[in-house]
Amino acid sequence: MSEQRCDSYYNATINDETHYPRLEEDIRVDVVIIGGGFTGVATAVELAEKGIKVAILEANKIAWGATGRNGGQVTGSLSGDAAMTKQRRNSIGTEAADYV
Ligand SMILES: Cc1cc2nc3c(=O)[nH]c(=O)nc-3n(C[C@H](O)[C@H](O)[C@H](O)COP(=O)(O)OP(=O)(O)OC[C@H]3O[C@@H](n4cnc5c(N)ncnc54)[C@H](O)[C@@H]3O)c2cc1C
């Protein structure tokens, strides 16, 4: 378990550090999420917005894993242009996707 952030561009340029308490007592929630990366945090936000009580258990720090180390490239697919085009059409519709 590490309280330290990894050595990455994001962490070198961080301007809004957050701190969360260590879980030291029993709590009661609807959903427990293990891991505070993109997946865990996005899931938590989605659930919380629906009124579901959720807790994230993160062994290190939020975004300590792949989330705090990635290249920041926004892409719909690592499977190539055809897969990405298909995914975009499914998400936002053919007309809008082909306009992008
Ligand atoms: C070097 C690199 C470059 C990348 N570049 C890109 C890119 O350019 N574009 C892109 O879209 N994607 C990129 N990715 C992929 C992307 O970063 C990952 O797919 C994404 O961050 C995964 O998020 P995650 O929440 O699933 O996992 P993670 O961010 O790894 O989060 C998992 C978390 O779970 C915690 N954890 C693990 N076990 C436990 C446990 N037992 N108890 C409590 N906590 C635990 C870890 O500490 C960690 O914080 C890259 C990944 C890497 C590594």
Side-chain angles (χ1 to χ4, degrees), residues 11-84:
N11 295 324
T13 58
I14 198 164
N15 55 21
D16 187 16
E17 180 68 282
T18 56
H19 299 279
Y20 301 95
R22 182 181 299 270
L23 182 61
E24 310 252 9
E25 60 195 36
D26 292 345
I27 59 169
R28 185 169 286 273
V29 293
D30 300 313
V31 177
V32 173
I33 294 169
I34 311 292
F38 283 142
T39 309
V41 172
T43 303
V45 169
E46 191 85 13
L47 292 173
E49 285 176 351
K50 291 177 168 38
I52 295 168
K53 198 168 178 190
V54 56
I56 299 175
L57 298 184
E58 167 54 53
N60 299 288
K61 286 182 82 85
I62 294 294
W64 182 87
T67 297
R69 304 161 197 251
N70 74 42
Q73 295 168 58
V74 178
T75 169
S77 169
L78 297 176
S79 313
D81 287 347
M84 197 162 96

